[in-house]
Amino acid sequence: MAIPILLVAFLLPLLAPNFISCSPVQDPGKIVQEVHECRHGYFHVVNNDYTHWEMYAIGGSAAPTINSQGNRFLAPNDRFNKEVTKHEDAPQSEWKKWNWRSEGDLMLNGAFFTATGGSSSSSYARASSLGAKPSSLISSITSGAGALSCKKSSRC
């Protein structure tokens, strides 16, 4: 059975975060720590809308490769929490070698991404899962995103 194109277009923003392990959010209206905690491997963070974080939006430890593309990052008003990224559990001399890049991301309200490691495309080949849409489309891409209201014994 073929999946209608409209359904695929709707599901893509929902599927992208599944490539990353997510930390629990304690207050649904407010991100207390990071949304994505990436460890050991390759992560493609694509076409997400990040708002209301308190510390950072994407964290990583254990030398992950992170390819951030087409995301929108709206930094909080707190001038000490504008950085999107957080390199954890390693000294700067070590995490500076990790491959983290931001490509086509929209940074708002002073948000900034600390890119590290290699910049060649080959460094990120295994951290690419699908083509990123332009970050200018995030509002329309994510307008219907969220949890599905499904009930047992009925279709979603």
Side-chain angles (χ1 to χ4, degrees):
M1 179 176 166
I3 297 174
I5 292 175
L6 181 60
L7 179 59
V8 171
F10 172 76
L11 288 176
L12 282 179
L14 299 176
L15 294 175
N18 290 330
F19 290 102
I20 343 201
S21 62
C22 298
S23 297
V25 176
Q26 302 187 348
D27 175 354
K30 193 179 222 180
I31 298 169
V32 176
Q33 197 174 352
E34 76 283 336
V35 173
H36 296 126
E37 175 67 29
C38 308
R39 295 186 181 108
H40 300 290
Y42 300 89
F43 300 88
H44 192 201
V45 183
V46 60
N47 291 131
N48 292 284
D49 194 15
Y50 292 89
T51 60
H52 304 98
W53 74 79
E54 285 192 9
M55 296 168 62
Y56 51 92
I58 301 172
S61 60
T65 294
I66 299 174
N67 187 11
S68 176
Q69 294 182 308
N71 299 291
R72 179 171 60 188
F73 296 98
L74 175 62
N77 289 326
D78 181 345
R79 64 186 175 115
F80 298 108
N81 293 315
K82 303 286 187 183
E83 187 171 7
V84 169
T85 54
K86 171 83 170 153
H87 299 78
E88 297 188 277
D89 302 327
Q92 184 177 6
S93 59
E94 184 180 324
W95 62 252
K96 281 286 193 185
K97 299 173 192 168
W98 299 354
N99 291 324
W100 290 25
R101 77 170 174 187
S102 169
E103 187 175 77
D105 289 331
L106 179 60
M107 305 290 172
L108 301 171
N109 198 33
F112 67 96
F113 187 105
T114 302
T116 58
S119 59
S120 72
S121 294
S122 63
S123 301
Y124 297 92
R126 292 181 66 188
S128 296
S129 56
L130 53 99
K133 299 287 185 197
S135 57
S136 60
L137 299 176
I138 291 300
S139 290
S140 61
I141 290 172
T142 61
S143 64
L148 297 175
S149 297
C150 300
K151 294 182 180 171
K152 195 173 183 176
S153 304
S154 63
R155 292 182 144 192
C156 291

